Amino acid sequence: MPTQPIRVLAVEPYYGGSHRAVLDGLVGCVDAEWTLLTLPARKWKWRMRGAAINFASHIRELQVAHVRSGQRGPAFDLVFASTFVNLAELYGMAGPALQGVPSVVYFHENQLVYPNRHTAEWDYQFPLTNITSALAATECVFNTEWNRQTFLTEIPGFIRAFPDHHPGGIVETIAAKSCVIPPPFDPAPFDRVLGEGGAGAAPRSALPRIVWPHRWEHDKNPEEFFSAVEVLAREGLDFEVVVAGQAFRETADAMLGSAAALGERLIHVGEPASRDAYAGLLASSDIAVSTALNEFFGLAMIEACYCGAAPLVPDRLAYPEIYPAHARYRGFDQLVARLRSLVSDRPAPGTARGLAETYTFKTLQAAYQQLVERLAGA
């Protein structure tokens, strides 16, 4: 008798960006029978507060269909959720459909250290959702040790903000069932562009090209990037700029306005039309820059490294865990100085390729396969 495959239910209310890339890759490389419940990547606060209601209804329907087909027990062996799901609410509303089913919550980020521009009482709901989901989960998986440590470290202070009845033992409970597995990326679109020769084979411009591959939001700090490249432009340095991230309705005008100030140096601005187009932009770039105020891992920078760009990242957040000291800067003046040096002495392509290869699906597949099998009891 053939062994029945592990049945994994993945729930992702914010199915876009790195959340989507990681989930799609896991479906392709982890040996299991996957069922995906997703919502489009917009209005994350509404997704975080309301997705459990929507998903629980679908899960109950899936369980009814499972029973009608003559199957016994739950329809799934494991729930794989992102932190945009309130796992406790999901299990409560799904009822018997998820009774006894183990779960993993993958922490792409945590709301306890998310840089809010406007703190309001409602914002307390989001870190509390992370905490309750972590307590409800069978296991918590973080993308970096920095993410795990900041989450655990910030919990006591958050709990002390309760007006009374402060629960205890939360940090110890979550820490005991937590681990770190980096988010993998799929190199295939980049390999198609790079060809057999790898990072050194992609065509490059006559001028050094700088790419900023991030979504245009306040936590990615685009203003600092443009301030830095404008300094170099005023100095008369010759270079090109690619802005290859997603903009939203509220930020599109700001992105276009800032980018337009670069004039002919600007080669591309906005979200690329396809994954292959995005790969082409990364492969044509010499330097990849982050100015993030909030970054728990940063897949876009890893993808740029894979394509041959030399990374330049802040010496903060999760970056020291991933990048060597020579790739990190402290403060605006050092950002400008390091960027000036890289433009003046153009780096050879592929210098950070080995770093990026650590995070491919091929490299990390075994860790995720073992996680799924262990939690599902296979």
Side-chain angles (χ1 to χ4, degrees), residues 11 13 37-39 45-61 84-95 98 129:
V11 285
L37 294 180
T38 65
L39 292 171
K45 289 186 176 183
W46 284 100
R47 294 290 190 246
M48 201 165 177
R49 295 302 298 134
I53 300 171
N54 182 289
F55 288 156
S57 175
H58 285 296
I59 292 167
R60 292 193 300 269
E61 291 171 2
F84 281 3
V85 179
N86 188 319
L87 196 68
E89 290 181 354
L90 180 70
Y91 269 68
M93 288 184 287
L98 292 181
T129 295

Side-chain angles (χ1 to χ4, degrees), residues 310-314 323-329 338 355:
L312 188 56
V313 301
Y323 295 91
H326 66 79
R328 308 194 304 264
Y329 65 86
R338 293 277 180 92
L355 181 154

Side-chain angles (χ1 to χ4, degrees), residues 117 215-218 222 246-257:
R117 284 180 297 177
R215 56 179 166 77
W216 191 283
E217 288 197 281
H218 77 281
Q246 179 185 18
F248 299 91
R249 191 178 307 161
E250 313 86 65
T251 59
D253 290 344
M255 179 181 73
L256 293 173

Side-chain angles (χ1 to χ4, degrees), residues 16 28 33 59 63 73 81 85 113 147 153 160-161 169 172 206 212 222 227 257 271 285 302 313 326 352 355 370:
E33 183 181 287
I59 292 167
Q63 182 64 26
V85 179
V113 291
N147 189 3
T153 301
R160 284 196 295 271
E172 294 79 5
W212 191 81
S227 295
E271 186 175 11
S285 298
I302 292 295
V313 301
H326 66 79
L355 181 154
Q370 289 167 11

Side-chain angles (χ1 to χ4, degrees), residues 24 74 124 189 212 276 282 344 368:
D24 286 354
Y124 293 123
W212 191 81
D276 285 350
L282 294 186
S344 301
Y368 281 95

Side-chain angles (χ1 to χ4, degrees), residues 248-295:
F248 299 91
R249 191 178 307 161
E250 313 86 65
T251 59
D253 290 344
M255 179 181 73
L256 293 173
S258 296
L262 291 170
E264 294 182 356
R265 287 183 171 85
L266 182 68
I267 302 302
H268 175 90
V269 61
E271 186 175 11
S274 67
R275 192 69 173 163
D276 285 350
Y278 172 66
L281 289 170
L282 294 186
S284 70
S285 298
D286 300 284
I287 307 152
V289 178
S290 170
T291 46
L293 301 171
N294 168 52
E295 193 64 85

Side-chain angles (χ1 to χ4, degrees), residues 8-11 15 23-24 27 34-38:
V8 181
L9 172 65
V11 285
Y15 189 53
L23 182 54
D24 286 354
V27 170
W34 290 81
T35 299
L36 271 61
L37 294 180
T38 65

Side-chain angles (χ1 to χ4, degrees), residues 138-194:
T138 307
E139 188 152 338
C140 304
V141 180
F142 292 81
N143 56 359
T144 58
E145 181 61 25
W146 182 82
N147 189 3
R148 191 180 81 91
Q149 285 297 332
T150 57
F151 183 64
L152 296 173
T153 301
E154 293 295 323
I155 287 174
F158 181 82
I159 295 300
R160 284 196 295 271
F162 284 27
D164 53 20
H165 297 285
H166 303 97
I170 292 177
V171 172
E172 294 79 5
T173 299
I174 296 173
K177 56 179 178 180
S178 297
C179 66
V180 174
I181 307 179
F185 77 97
D186 181 8
F190 310 108
D191 287 337
R192 285 196 295 270
V193 170
L194 297 171

